[in-house]
Amino acid sequence: MTAYARFIKQMISSRLYRPDGTVQTTKDPKKTALHEGAKLAMACGMDEDEQATGLFAADRYEQVLQRYEDTHPETHLLRVQAAFLQTPDDPAPVGL
């Protein structure tokens, strides 16, 4: 078990069913991060935006965040971006 596992909820992002019957499952934290970011955007005023509330209700969290960016000035920005965690056991990225 990795040291950061208790802080980050991993979600199934894809499943690959192979002809030999094996299944490869990939998990990442993106959906959870987008959901939490959209909740924060809603708490920062987007709950008064009819389009944003509809998107949030439809689980379209990326679009809620995009709506937030489109309607707020550059000085007040919330952005959720994909991040890749690297542990001491992972090889160093190329070029470092």
Side-chain angles (χ1 to χ4, degrees):
M1 183 164 196
T2 58
Y4 56 81
R6 65 186 176 138
F7 300 106
I8 300 173
K9 182 178 178 185
Q10 300 287 316
M11 302 295 289
I12 293 174
S13 57
S14 68
R15 276 203 175 109
L16 176 62
Y17 296 90
R18 299 184 188 277
D20 65 1
T22 60
V23 178
Q24 179 183 347
T25 302
T26 304
K27 293 183 176 185
D28 65 50
K30 183 178 180 183
K31 183 176 180 183
T32 301
L34 290 173
H35 179 248
E36 294 303 316
K39 280 179 24 182
L40 182 57
M42 297 302 283
C44 291
M46 295 309 293
D47 57 342
E48 297 177 9
D49 182 294
E50 189 175 317
Q51 183 177 351
T53 56
L55 292 169
F56 188 84
D59 297 336
R60 296 186 175 178
Y61 306 128
E62 274 186 282
Q63 292 176 7
V64 171
L65 293 167
Q66 185 60 52
R67 177 85 176 142
Y68 178 90
E69 287 191 32
D70 292 345
T71 60
H72 284 73
E74 292 180 20
T75 57
H76 188 231
L77 185 64
L78 166 69
R79 182 173 290 155
V80 175
Q81 294 177 244
F84 299 95
L85 301 175
Q86 186 171 354
T87 65
D89 299 331
D90 294 336
V94 176
L96 293 180

